[in-house]
Amino acid sequence: MTQADEQHATASQPSASWRQRLWEPCDSASVVFFRVAFASMALWHIGLVLTSGWIDYYFTNRPYHLSFFGFEWVQALGGTGMWRIHLLMGLAALGVGLGAFYRLSAILFFVTFTYTLLAEAALYQNHYYLMSLLAFLFILIPAHRSFSVDALVFPDKASPFLPNWCRWSLMFLIALPYFYGGIAKLNGDWLQAMPMGIWIPQKTHIPIIGPYLAQPWVAWALSYGGLVLDLTIVPLLLWRRTRLFAYLAVVIFHLMNSVLFKIDIFPWTMILLTTIFFAPDWPRKLLRRPSLKIPKAAITASHTPSLLQRATLGIVGIFVVWQLIFPLRHYVYPGNALWTEEGQNFAWRMMLHNKDVFIRFYATDGVTGKIVQIPVSKMLTQRQLLDIAKSPEQTAAVARFLAEGATKAGLQKVEIHAVSILSLNGRKPQLIFDPDLDLLTVERSWKHQSWITPLTEPLRAEPWDVPSKEWPQAVGIKLPKAMIPQQRAPTAR
């Protein structure tokens, strides 16, 4: 950040300490745009959820919901309840965008949005996590001081200026997915154009560019292009001389992602919110409005923040440090995080793996020895089943639910086993844990799950293409001779 960047929008002096610069006022125009853009994207997301049938599919008469470890206590509501939650969320997003009852709206949006994120882990997306974090920051940032309903109703509290830390903390959060996304791509699979080498050739149906996507070099170009962009884009956005070029690269990158992949609102959200890296008064310049000169009284007042202001910034500081540390936790776990999924979520490890799966669950009667194949496809959504198959932790978590159903069906001293075979980024499929393991003996924990079989299959020159029904034979596993009960999907309790 240079003085030229902040011309007419900040009063920083070369001799000012970094603590003083945190509090010095800057034009609030870019933060206001960020607030409105964020709320608009949130409303778009809510509209998609309410019109796409997601609520009925994932929450109406569903007896089981995936949960994150430590948040099992967050219980999903039924379809009607989730409809009400999303309508309330939409009202809160509208309040944030308009700056009406702003603090209450920000708190309400954060609570409702984060609740939906935690209520069904199968719906997790990195950009939903980003929206939750931004919603938390909006509670602390007075982004309603100008261009808002609150500023009109309470003009004595209105101001066209905000402390620098408000804008910088938003810049920090937008930088996180880029920076950690780039770090995550520094792995052997990505550097060998996987999983792009699997995904891109499947996109040949796309108009105009489709025929070119079958060329092998395209996957390599996209892999290394994405890596370079993620690792360099933040410093290029921070430097005034390269900022416009970097932003154009961001726009092209996200437009391409929108065409190639179904990533919901993420590309458009990042295109709009990355504008926070421009000078604080860029919206005024775009509209050909004169820049604001900061009064000396405001500069002087910024040097003596109140106790409440210092406490608020302290919370933001703790938040920033946590967001720097938490995404790195996968380095603590042994093995390949793409395989074990340990430390994979909430870490900006985006689009790094393609997992094809084969999974069968079995309940064993400990008294009679009878084995029953559990019809999980009738009990869970396809998205839930895919996430359970990909994550050993979720496989162990669902075992309790399956055991409860088996007990109600008349089995005694139930054991739950699974034959779970995965192919990571086109590798030959491999068992991810011992089929003889009783999953009821496994406890969810922050610690490494030692019962997960380490990945041993090397990356292949050509992706594995044997049908999944043939995988047990390919890995030398004989499926148990089990009954296959005919039953309806259980209803919500």
Side-chain angles (χ1 to χ4, degrees):
M1 194 74 62
T2 65
Q3 274 190 288
D5 292 336
E6 311 298 323
Q7 188 177 10
H8 303 302
T10 185
S12 296
Q13 299 297 324
S15 60
S17 68
W18 66 269
R19 290 187 179 86
Q20 287 178 319
R21 294 201 65 198
L22 286 170
W23 289 107
E24 286 175 350
C26 69
D27 195 319
S28 66
S30 64
V31 174
V32 168
F33 176 85
F34 192 102
R35 186 197 81 211
V36 175
F38 171 82
S40 299
M41 291 297 100
L43 287 169
W44 185 5
H45 164 73
I46 295 164
L48 288 174
V49 171
L50 294 179
T51 59
S52 64
W54 281 13
I55 292 179
D56 288 338
Y57 182 70
Y58 287 104
F59 296 101
T60 299
N61 294 329
R62 291 297 175 187
Y64 183 77
H65 297 280
L66 274 65
S67 62
F68 297 104
F69 176 70
F71 291 94
E72 295 88 349
W73 54 272
V74 179
Q75 297 295 308
L77 300 175
T80 302
M82 295 306 291
W83 264 90
R84 291 171 179 169
I85 288 290
H86 279 83
L87 290 174
L88 187 60
M89 187 195 309
L91 183 63
L94 188 62
V96 170
L98 295 176
F101 304 101
Y102 170 78
R103 296 289 187 186
L104 177 62
S105 296
I107 293 171
L108 190 58
F109 181 81
F110 170 72
V111 171
T112 53
F113 190 90
T114 305
Y115 166 74
T116 62
L117 179 68
L118 299 175
E120 177 52 82
L123 294 174
Y124 173 83
Q125 296 283 350
N126 281 281
H127 56 280
Y128 297 160
Y129 177 48
L130 176 63
M131 292 185 73
S132 176
L133 297 180
L134 288 169
F136 175 77
L137 270 187
F138 273 121
I139 297 173
L140 304 174
I141 293 174
H144 62 310
R145 287 185 179 177
S146 63
F147 199 72
S148 69
V149 173
D150 288 352
L152 292 175
V153 176
F154 305 104
D156 56 318
K157 296 183 179 180
S159 171
F161 306 109
L162 287 172
N164 276 325
W165 70 260
C166 298
R167 175 169 162 263
W168 291 351
S169 60
L170 294 174
M171 292 168 64
F172 168 78
L173 268 188
I174 297 303
L176 278 180
Y178 292 120
F179 176 73
Y180 280 114
I183 295 296
K185 289 179 176 66
L186 294 173
N187 70 76
D189 286 21
W190 189 272
L191 296 178
Q192 295 185 63
M194 283 295 176
M196 286 293 181
I198 297 174
W199 294 336
I200 297 304
Q202 299 174 3
K203 307 293 182 179
T204 54
H205 62 280
I206 296 176
I208 302 176
I209 65 172
Y212 300 99
L213 300 180
Q215 300 296 321
W217 64 267
V218 175
W220 286 86
L222 292 176
S223 296
Y224 278 84
L227 172 64
V228 171
L229 184 137
D230 281 344
L231 289 178
T232 63
I233 201 65
V234 173
L236 291 175
L237 286 167
L238 289 172
W239 192 23
R240 180 176 59 85
R241 293 184 179 181
T242 57
R243 186 173 297 148
L244 183 58
F245 166 79
Y247 183 70
L248 291 175
V250 164
V251 172
I252 294 171
F253 174 76
H254 287 297
L255 288 177
M256 186 177 299
N257 277 339
S258 180
V259 171
L260 293 176
F261 308 105
K262 294 180 180 180
I263 326 179
D264 202 86
I265 62 170
F266 180 61
W268 311 102
T269 300
M270 294 303 286
I271 287 173
L272 291 175
L273 300 190
T274 302
T275 57
I276 194 66
F277 284 90
F278 285 97
D281 60 347
W282 75 262
R284 297 187 196 278
K285 291 180 178 179
L286 186 66
L287 297 174
R288 300 183 182 277
R289 300 292 179 86
S291 297
L292 302 179
K293 186 174 182 180
I294 302 173
K296 291 185 178 180
I299 301 172
T300 303
S302 71
H303 295 159
T304 55
S306 68
L307 179 61
L308 178 60
Q309 289 174 321
R310 291 197 298 270
T312 300
L313 186 56
I315 295 172
V316 173
I318 295 171
F319 172 81
V320 166
V321 172
W322 178 252
Q323 295 305 321
L324 287 172
I325 296 173
F326 194 60
L328 301 175
R329 69 191 187 283
H330 67 277
Y331 288 115
V332 178
Y333 296 108
N336 189 330
L338 300 179
W339 175 253
T340 66
E341 298 286 333
E342 293 179 314
Q344 185 74 5
N345 287 335
F346 308 107
W348 316 112
R349 295 174 58 77
M350 299 169 286
M351 301 185 70
L352 297 178
H353 59 29
N354 179 85
K355 280 186 175 179
D356 295 319
V357 301
F358 172 97
I359 191 166
R360 297 286 186 274
F361 284 94
Y362 301 91
T364 301
D365 188 312
V367 175
T368 66
K370 180 174 68 172
I371 301 175
V372 178
Q373 182 176 329
I374 304 173
V376 289
S377 61
K378 297 180 180 180
M379 306 165 72
L380 305 168
T381 67
Q382 286 300 309
R383 180 66 176 268
Q384 287 177 321
L385 189 54
L386 179 60
D387 274 30
I388 287 168
K390 291 193 304 182
S391 169
E393 178 199 9
Q394 293 292 0
T395 305
V398 77
R400 273 73 180 167
F401 166 72
L402 301 179
E404 182 182 334
T407 300
K408 289 180 179 179
L411 275 66
Q412 305 176 64
K413 296 183 178 179
V414 175
E415 294 182 2
I416 300 294
H417 300 269
V419 176
S420 184
I421 309 172
L422 276 67
S423 170
L424 173 63
N425 289 339
R427 288 173 171 83
K428 179 182 177 181
Q430 175 187 328
L431 283 167
I432 195 165
F433 52 81
D434 188 345
D436 293 329
L437 172 70
D438 179 6
L439 292 169
L440 298 178
T441 65
V442 175
E443 297 292 339
R444 300 181 84 178
S445 170
W446 286 110
K447 298 179 181 179
H448 169 60
Q449 303 295 303
S450 58
W451 51 275
I452 300 176
T453 304
L455 178 66
T456 57
E457 290 292 340
L459 199 64
R460 297 167 56 89
E462 294 293 332
W464 182 267
D465 61 357
V466 175
S468 61
K469 64 181 180 180
E470 300 177 20
W471 287 7
Q473 183 179 359
V475 301
I477 292 295
K478 188 174 182 180
L479 298 179
K481 293 182 179 180
M483 293 178 55
I484 304 178
Q486 301 296 321
Q487 67 177 53
R488 296 180 179 178
T491 57
R493 293 165 292 184

